[in-house]
Every structure is written in C-alpha cells, then in structure tokens.
Amino acid sequence: MEHFTPVSSLLGGALIGLAASILLLFNGRVAGISGILGGALTPAPGDTLWRLMFLLGLAGVGAVGALLRPAAFVAGPVQSPWLIAIAGLLVGYGTRLGNGCTSGHGVCGVSRLSPRSLLATATFLATGAITVFLAKHLLGGSP
Amino acid sequence: MRRALSAFFAGALFAVGLILGGMTQPGKVIGFLDFTGSWDPSLAFVMGGAVLVYAVLSRVWLRRTAPLFERKFHLPSRRDIDGRLILGAAIFGSGWGLGGYCPGPGLASLTAGRLPVIFVASMILGMFAERWIDKRVRTKGAAHA
C-alpha cells in the first residue's frame, strides 16, 4: 500500500472525466481512445482531423509531462521489448474487436450504465488481474 | 477549425489527468490489478473520479439537442451482448495486465522511452490485424450465405 495515491488519482480521474465531457459538449463524441485512434487509422472524409488533433493533444502534453516529470513515466516491472510488443498486439486487437478500452467502456460507457460497457469493463478487469497473477508466478517478476 | 481545437484541448486535458492519476506508470496499473500482492487501489480512484464527473456533466450536456460544434451527438447505441465484445475485452485485459499500458497512457508516454514506442507500434499493428481478419471473416461468411 506504500504507493497508494488517493488524492492525485481522484483529481487525475476528475480531469479525465472533464476532458471526456468537453469532447462530448463541443464535438459530440465519446472519448474512447482506442476508438479515436482506430478511426484515425481508417480515414473517412470530415472525420479524421478532430481525431488527429485529439491524439496530438494527448501525445503532446504527454511529451511535455515526460520532460517536466520523468518520475511520472517510469517503466513497469515488465521490461522485455518482446513482452511489451505482445501486450501491444493484444491491446490493439482486443480493443477493436470489443469496441473499446478503459476510457470508452470503463469511463464513458460505465457512466452511461451501458450494459455492453459494464460487461466489457468487468471482463477486462478480470483478465487483467488474471494475467498479472499468471505473469507474477510464471515469469517470476514480482511487481 | 474550432472542432479541431476543442478536440486538441480535450486530448491535452485528458493527458494531464492520466499523468496526475498515475496511469502513465505501468507499475502502478499492474499494482492495481495485483490483488494477491501489495494491492494499490489508486486506479479505482482514477476511474471513480472520471466516472463521477462524466456521469454528471454528460447528463447535463445531453439535454441539448446537439453539441456546440457538430450537428448531432455521435453516441454508441448498441445494447446487445455478443461474443466479439466479451472476447475483445478479454484479450484487451490480458494485454493491459501484461504490459501495464492501455491505449491512452501508451500514447501519452510515446516520448518517455523505448517501451511505450514498441507498445504503441504493436498496438496499431494489432488494430490493423483485427480489421484485416474481420474483413476476411465477413467475406467468407458472405460467400457461404
């Protein structure tokens, strides 16, 4: 429990909710990152610029943050490039197949009490926890 | 133009929230998913805070007939549960638990090191793979029908 950060995490979460609300109020869009990125990869006329700008804002502020506060970006227990590549493939494939990730299902969908999103969120939390358990015992890397 | 600016601002603010919330630290994400170790509940606070704010504000906004810069709201309308949803969420969760990155934090961490670059590149590859396989399955299904 030594790393527990309830205040900054609650504040960060509130800002994520505010950002998603802003995208809804101005652009009428759901702030699902995998959906925004997936849509940008298969460009449609009039539907690409806002996606690229959202992603640019996300990555741009991330880049500034990485310069100012490198400690907020420390690598996790899994350092193998191969495992990270497999993780990326699974995340990319799974989020498109299941139409959403932590933001689209976990935040926006759960807020709307969408049955699809509630089930998806319960599912990815469960398989995430199972994977961490297996990785800890099979790979021996204790986080 | 104004649509692009509001999207940029929303993306930027989203990143501030991710960083402040600890989501760009894969170790923290894995610590949250690690129920048998020294469990770090922080991520529940990120999700809780985000859901709380969005649940209230989105309900207020959606009383409007249209968003400010678009003709209509683009909201998911499906309510059916299918195998794709559950399988997709299950696959995503396993990748999330393995690396500690979900799509947003991966993109926000792009310049922070080699691992996030590898993660985002393979995530995009995975997205293309899904569309490619999906297209093949669909044309095959249509040929049999």
Side-chain angles (χ1 to χ4, degrees), chain B residues 13-97:
Chain B
L13 192 62
F14 203 101
V16 176
L18 288 176
I19 298 166
L20 193 61
M23 297 288 295
T24 50
Q25 299 166 57
K28 226 172 153 49
V29 174
I30 290 174
F32 169 73
L33 293 169
D34 183 16
F35 291 98
T36 60
S38 57
W39 187 50
D40 177 357
S42 305
L43 224 78
F45 284 70
V46 179
M47 259 186 161
V51 166
L52 209 70
V53 170
Y54 190 76
V56 173
L57 289 181
S58 65
R59 267 166 188 76
V60 177
W61 301 162
L62 288 172
R63 284 193 202 138
R64 304 172 52 90
T65 48
L68 292 171
F69 296 165
E70 287 254 3
R71 282 205 197 111
K72 60 182 176 74
F73 286 104
H74 303 267
L75 298 173
S77 53
R78 285 179 62 178
R79 295 182 70 84
D80 61 305
I81 306 292
D82 61 349
R84 287 172 54 102
L85 176 78
I86 298 166
L87 185 64
I91 293 172
F92 160 53
S94 61
W96 187 38

Side-chain angles (χ1 to χ4, degrees), chain B residues 5-17:
Chain B
L5 282 178
S6 57
F8 178 84
F9 181 72
L13 192 62
F14 203 101
V16 176

Side-chain angles (χ1 to χ4, degrees), chain A residues 2-138:
Chain A
E2 70 261 43
H3 305 298
F4 185 37
T5 52
V7 177
S8 59
S9 286
L10 193 66
L11 261 173
L15 288 182
I16 292 171
L18 184 63
S21 307
I22 286 170
L23 195 70
L24 182 72
L25 174 64
F26 288 89
N27 297 63
R29 301 280 177 172
V30 171
I33 310 297
S34 61
I36 293 175
L37 176 63
L41 296 176
T42 45
D47 188 48
T48 304
L49 183 64
W50 76 269
R51 293 175 188 273
L52 293 177
M53 290 300 281
F54 181 92
L55 297 169
L56 192 68
L58 182 68
V61 164
V64 174
L67 278 177
L68 298 178
R69 279 184 66 184
F73 293 84
V74 284
V78 177
Q79 307 261 345
S80 151
W82 292 105
L83 286 179
I84 291 291
I86 293 169
L89 281 173
L90 292 169
V91 168
Y93 190 90
T95 50
R96 291 317 278 154
L97 188 67
N99 288 100
C101 59
T102 8
S103 49
H105 282 314
V107 174
C108 300
V110 165
S111 298
R112 294 191 303 126
L113 298 176
S114 148
R116 280 173 61 83
S117 292
L118 289 167
L119 184 65
T121 304
T123 304
F124 66 64
L125 283 173
T127 58
I130 292 167
T131 307
V132 167
F133 181 82
L134 290 178
K136 227 170 101 172
H137 290 85
L138 295 180

